[in-house]
Amino acid sequence: MADSTDRQHADDERFMAVARRLSLRHVGLTAENPSVGALLVQGSGATARVVGRGVTAWGGRPHAERVALADAGADARGSTAYVTLEPCAHHGRTSPCADSLVEAGVSRVVVGAPDPDPRVNGRGVEILRAAGIEVRCLSGEGVVTRPFEGFLQRLRFGRPFVTLKMAVSRDGFVGRLGGERIGISGRIANRQVHLLRANSDAIMVGVGTAVADDPLLTCRLPGLSGRSPIRIVVDPQLRLPLDAQLVTTARSVPTLIASTRNPDGAEAVPYRRAGCRLLRLSGYDRDDLRRLLHAMPSAGVQTLMVEGGPVLAAAFLEAELVDRIVVIRSPVEIRSSGVAAPDGVLAPNNFRLARRERFGDDDWSEWERIEPCSPESSPTLDALPASNL
């Protein structure tokens, strides 16, 4: 009996890994819904065969379970369903996915992670078990949840999942004093950064970086140019040059400017004419950043990549608003006149090393927060109305 259970659990881990890889296909393309993977499998062990595959469709509908059931047809009956997130239990444009699995006659369901949405939150599992279907719930941690970590973060904390990325020289610097632009990371690592951008809803930089580097902040990988994220510049004094690429391309790639200046004032008019949208920012402390983040989900931003310089990075770290840190350690040395990496980037507290890779000459490491930040009540958004987004 123990051997049989072990074999079944081995199958569960194997097929859930496949479902998770499926879910990666539509990350960033499913609107406010999570990108979920679903797999329908007949048999077990060496004779197991996949009869249906599904991933949440572009725009968020239909859900992965329905796509997989349609793919399997009559073969769904008696199968085991592997779903990376608990099947929904609420009525929307369609009936609950949990009901669809019951109606299709699946015999067993393996769930990768619970859904904290109050409309679900265990009810999907209850529907399945009430119908006599065996349900196994996995731990819900680690790589299974990564494709929809922004969705989970929005539900739990009311803000996007924040990834801070920094390239650091061998001698611990992130730039050179005086604003001189210097390339730190190499070509292969830079392509990985563009992939991060493609999987993010928005990317944020401080005005210092925007002025010094004049970046585009788009995804320039072949076939993924349409996946460029919303660009956000934190610019309290509204000093972003009007001829900056972020401004001149604002009609093709959305650009938002968070500033203490009046978004309806005369200073803002040239930016609005160029296609930028302005957000009211009351200041630059931790509460201001939290207000800014809490307003973003209403604009469809569930994952945010902070790619700014040391000032913005330090502000996010100090406010405890960073969920993942990506550090690209380069063999390049800056030596004199270098700008030091912020405290907490090279040796993060309360983070664990989750991934380490070598891309060309660069060392790529990812650090994930060990204990999530405590849930915060959303601050009042009088100073930063969501409608401005």
Side-chain angles (χ1 to χ4, degrees):
M1 183 65 177
D3 287 345
S4 175
T5 301
D6 289 344
R7 283 195 298 270
Q8 187 176 73
H9 286 186
D11 279 351
D12 292 347
E13 297 295 332
R14 176 164 61 107
F15 288 117
M16 184 58 69
V18 176
R20 184 258 175 186
R21 287 196 294 273
L22 270 175
S23 70
L24 291 172
R25 293 184 179 181
H26 290 174
V27 171
L29 301 173
T30 57
E32 75 280 0
N33 287 339
S35 181
V36 174
L39 209 66
L40 298 177
V41 177
Q42 288 282 6
S44 61
T47 63
R49 60 189 180 94
V50 176
V51 296
R53 299 172 178 83
V55 59
T56 308
W58 285 24
R61 294 286 191 284
H63 289 182
E65 297 93 328
R66 292 183 178 277
V67 176
L69 289 171
D71 186 40
D75 285 340
R77 184 163 298 278
S79 68
T80 295
Y82 294 91
V83 188
T84 56
L85 184 68
E86 179 183 3
C88 67
H90 56 281
H91 288 266
R93 298 177 191 172
T94 58
S95 59
C97 288
D99 286 345
S100 297
L101 292 169
V102 172
E103 293 164 5
V106 302
S107 63
R108 185 169 177 267
V109 176
V110 180
V111 175
D115 187 343
D117 188 323
R119 298 170 298 175
V120 186
N121 198 22
R123 291 177 57 205
V125 170
E126 289 176 3
I127 290 172
L128 296 171
R129 286 178 172 158
I133 295 174
E134 179 189 347
V135 180
R136 183 185 178 209
C137 299
L138 302 183
S139 64
E141 300 296 331
V143 295
V144 172
T145 60
R146 185 158 183 169
F148 46 84
E149 58 197 4
F151 167 80
L152 296 177
Q153 193 77 349
R154 172 176 64 84
L155 288 175
R156 291 169 178 164
F157 304 123
R159 65 167 178 83
F161 187 97
V162 177
T163 298
L164 170 64
K165 168 255 153 183
M166 297 210 80
V168 184
S169 68
R170 185 197 298 272
D171 44 359
F173 297 122
V174 297
R176 186 166 281 157
L177 290 172
E180 179 187 349
R181 186 171 185 176
I182 180 170
I184 295 179
S185 53
R187 181 179 61 86
I188 299 175
N190 287 341
R191 291 175 69 85
Q192 294 297 313
V193 171
H194 281 258
L195 190 58
L196 275 182
R197 292 178 180 178
N199 289 329
S200 301
D201 296 325
I203 182 171
M204 179 182 287
V205 297
V207 67
T209 296
V211 171
D213 296 346
D214 191 22
L216 265 174
L217 301 182
T218 54
C219 175
R220 296 187 291 279
L221 293 177
L224 292 178
S225 59
R227 297 282 298 272
S228 292
I230 297 170
R231 305 172 301 185
I232 304 172
V233 183
V234 178
D235 184 7
Q237 304 306 316
L238 204 56
R239 62 186 183 93
L240 182 67
L242 290 172
D243 61 354
Q245 292 190 97
L246 291 170
V247 177
T248 59
T249 61
R251 295 201 180 277
S252 57
V253 182
T255 300
L256 310 180
I257 303 174
S259 175
T260 59
R261 306 296 186 176
N262 183 357
D264 298 316
E267 287 179 287
V269 170
Y271 295 96
R272 295 205 311 270
R273 285 177 177 167
C276 299
R277 298 169 69 183
L278 272 75
L279 316 176
R280 178 67 66 82
L281 187 68
S282 55
Y284 202 30
D285 62 20
R286 71 167 61 199
D287 288 337
D288 299 316
L289 289 177
R290 283 176 177 162
R291 276 191 287 267
L292 181 60
L293 292 188
H294 278 289
M296 287 185 183
S298 65
V301 176
Q302 298 188 118
T303 52
L304 173 67
M305 180 180 174
V306 177
E307 201 177 335
V311 175
L312 186 65
F316 267 83
L317 289 167
E318 171 64 24
E320 297 185 342
L321 292 172
V322 177
D323 303 297
R324 177 178 295 119
I325 302 173
V326 174
V327 179
I328 306 170
R329 201 65 189 266
S330 164
V332 169
E333 290 191 357
I334 294 178
R335 298 174 184 166
S336 61
S337 302
V339 178
D343 293 339
V345 169
L346 296 181
N349 291 323
N350 203 30
F351 284 78
R352 66 176 181 86
L353 182 62
R355 178 189 177 198
R356 190 168 187 178
E357 303 279 355
R358 189 78 179 174
F359 294 122
D361 294 329
D362 299 317
D363 183 83
W364 177 291
S365 59
E366 297 185 8
W367 300 80
E368 295 183 348
R369 185 173 290 279
I370 297 171
E371 297 179 4
C373 300
S374 58
E376 310 144 356
S377 58
S378 296
T380 59
L381 301 179
D382 296 338
L384 183 65
S387 58
N388 279 353
L389 284 169

